[in-house]
mmCIF file of all heavy atoms in Angstrom:
data_model
loop_
_atom_site.group_PDB
_atom_site.id
_atom_site.type_symbol
_atom_site.label_atom_id
_atom_site.label_comp_id
_atom_site.label_asym_id
_atom_site.label_seq_id
_atom_site.Cartn_x
_atom_site.Cartn_y
_atom_site.Cartn_z
ATOM 1 N N VAL A 63 -1.545 -16.084 -10.087
ATOM 2 C CA VAL A 63 -1.903 -15.691 -8.730
ATOM 3 C C VAL A 63 -3.180 -16.304 -8.260
ATOM 4 O O VAL A 63 -3.369 -16.770 -7.135
ATOM 5 C CB VAL A 63 -1.873 -14.173 -8.583
ATOM 6 C CG1 VAL A 63 -2.394 -13.656 -7.226
ATOM 7 C CG2 VAL A 63 -0.384 -13.589 -8.852
ATOM 8 N N SER A 64 -4.146 -16.222 -9.151
ATOM 9 C CA SER A 64 -5.437 -16.763 -9.022
ATOM 10 C C SER A 64 -5.392 -18.283 -8.529
ATOM 11 O O SER A 64 -6.038 -18.726 -7.590
ATOM 12 C CB SER A 64 -6.382 -16.654 -10.136
ATOM 13 O OG SER A 64 -7.729 -17.231 -9.928
ATOM 14 N N LEU A 65 -4.647 -19.009 -9.207
ATOM 15 C CA LEU A 65 -4.432 -20.462 -8.966
ATOM 16 C C LEU A 65 -3.985 -20.653 -7.622
ATOM 17 O O LEU A 65 -4.434 -21.514 -6.821
ATOM 18 C CB LEU A 65 -3.531 -21.107 -10.023
ATOM 19 C CG LEU A 65 -3.078 -22.525 -9.753
ATOM 20 C CD1 LEU A 65 -4.310 -23.485 -9.703
ATOM 21 C CD2 LEU A 65 -2.082 -22.972 -10.770
ATOM 22 N N ALA A 66 -2.804 -19.965 -7.266
ATOM 23 C CA ALA A 66 -2.166 -20.067 -5.929
ATOM 24 C C ALA A 66 -3.182 -19.769 -4.806
ATOM 25 O O ALA A 66 -3.258 -20.450 -3.841
ATOM 26 C CB ALA A 66 -1.020 -19.249 -5.802
ATOM 27 N N ILE A 67 -4.048 -18.700 -5.057
ATOM 28 C CA ILE A 67 -4.932 -18.311 -4.043
ATOM 29 C C ILE A 67 -5.993 -19.381 -3.918
ATOM 30 O O ILE A 67 -6.554 -19.711 -2.783
ATOM 31 C CB ILE A 67 -5.570 -16.920 -4.362
ATOM 32 C CG1 ILE A 67 -4.518 -15.789 -4.069
ATOM 33 C CG2 ILE A 67 -6.843 -16.573 -3.517
ATOM 34 C CD1 ILE A 67 -4.850 -14.479 -4.663
ATOM 35 N N THR A 68 -6.496 -19.901 -5.033
ATOM 36 C CA THR A 68 -7.499 -20.945 -4.963
ATOM 37 C C THR A 68 -6.975 -22.262 -4.332
ATOM 38 O O THR A 68 -7.685 -22.867 -3.544
ATOM 39 C CB THR A 68 -7.940 -21.188 -6.480
ATOM 40 O OG1 THR A 68 -8.439 -20.171 -7.070
ATOM 41 C CG2 THR A 68 -9.021 -22.345 -6.525
ATOM 42 N N GLU A 69 -5.725 -22.612 -4.591
ATOM 43 C CA GLU A 69 -5.171 -23.756 -4.008
ATOM 44 C C GLU A 69 -5.018 -23.731 -2.533
ATOM 45 O O GLU A 69 -4.956 -24.638 -1.697
ATOM 46 C CB GLU A 69 -3.783 -24.048 -4.619
ATOM 47 C CG GLU A 69 -3.836 -24.563 -6.001
ATOM 48 C CD GLU A 69 -2.508 -24.866 -6.595
ATOM 49 O OE1 GLU A 69 -1.467 -24.232 -6.201
ATOM 50 O OE2 GLU A 69 -2.424 -25.761 -7.597
ATOM 51 N N LYS A 70 -4.955 -22.450 -2.026
ATOM 52 C CA LYS A 70 -4.919 -22.217 -0.579
ATOM 53 C C LYS A 70 -6.319 -22.172 0.052
ATOM 54 O O LYS A 70 -6.450 -22.019 1.258
ATOM 55 C CB LYS A 70 -4.205 -20.891 -0.181
ATOM 56 C CG LYS A 70 -2.724 -20.982 -0.532
ATOM 57 C CD LYS A 70 -2.009 -19.680 0.010
ATOM 58 C CE LYS A 70 -0.498 -19.759 -0.160
ATOM 59 N NZ LYS A 70 0.122 -20.745 0.710
ATOM 60 N N GLY A 71 -7.364 -22.306 -0.825
ATOM 61 C CA GLY A 71 -8.725 -22.307 -0.287
ATOM 62 C C GLY A 71 -9.231 -20.987 0.127
ATOM 63 O O GLY A 71 -10.139 -20.880 0.885
ATOM 64 N N LEU A 72 -8.635 -19.922 -0.451
ATOM 65 C CA LEU A 72 -9.095 -18.571 -0.015
ATOM 66 C C LEU A 72 -10.101 -17.972 -0.992
ATOM 67 O O LEU A 72 -10.185 -18.504 -2.120
ATOM 68 C CB LEU A 72 -7.781 -17.620 -0.025
ATOM 69 C CG LEU A 72 -6.713 -18.088 0.903
ATOM 70 C CD1 LEU A 72 -5.471 -17.140 0.656
ATOM 71 C CD2 LEU A 72 -7.165 -17.920 2.341
ATOM 72 N N ASN A 73 -10.797 -17.102 -0.499
ATOM 73 C CA ASN A 73 -11.950 -16.502 -1.384
ATOM 74 C C ASN A 73 -11.365 -15.173 -2.084
ATOM 75 O O ASN A 73 -10.997 -14.207 -1.493
ATOM 76 C CB ASN A 73 -13.135 -16.117 -0.461
ATOM 77 C CG ASN A 73 -14.364 -15.661 -1.288
ATOM 78 O OD1 ASN A 73 -14.316 -15.863 -2.446
ATOM 79 N ND2 ASN A 73 -15.261 -15.142 -0.545
ATOM 80 N N LEU A 74 -11.274 -15.342 -3.348
ATOM 81 C CA LEU A 74 -10.841 -14.299 -4.227
ATOM 82 C C LEU A 74 -11.972 -13.533 -4.867
ATOM 83 O O LEU A 74 -12.808 -14.049 -5.561
ATOM 84 C CB LEU A 74 -9.960 -14.931 -5.379
ATOM 85 C CG LEU A 74 -9.559 -13.967 -6.580
ATOM 86 C CD1 LEU A 74 -8.645 -12.900 -6.048
ATOM 87 C CD2 LEU A 74 -8.904 -14.862 -7.600
ATOM 88 N N GLU A 75 -11.931 -12.228 -4.583
ATOM 89 C CA GLU A 75 -13.009 -11.366 -5.158
ATOM 90 C C GLU A 75 -12.495 -10.830 -6.501
ATOM 91 O O GLU A 75 -13.151 -10.874 -7.571
ATOM 92 C CB GLU A 75 -13.431 -10.218 -4.310
ATOM 93 C CG GLU A 75 -14.422 -9.321 -4.886
ATOM 94 C CD GLU A 75 -14.937 -8.153 -3.981
ATOM 95 O OE1 GLU A 75 -15.184 -8.495 -2.762
ATOM 96 O OE2 GLU A 75 -14.876 -6.977 -4.329
ATOM 97 N N SER A 76 -11.259 -10.154 -6.513
ATOM 98 C CA SER A 76 -10.809 -9.619 -7.768
ATOM 99 C C SER A 76 -9.210 -9.399 -7.766
ATOM 100 O O SER A 76 -8.632 -9.304 -6.718
ATOM 101 C CB SER A 76 -11.434 -8.249 -8.059
ATOM 102 O OG SER A 76 -11.077 -7.329 -7.131
#
Side-chain angles (χ1 to χ4, degrees):
V63 171
S64 176
L65 172 64
I67 289 169
T68 300
E69 286 178 338
K70 290 186 174 292
L72 301 170
N73 187 13
L74 168 64
E75 182 177 308
S76 66

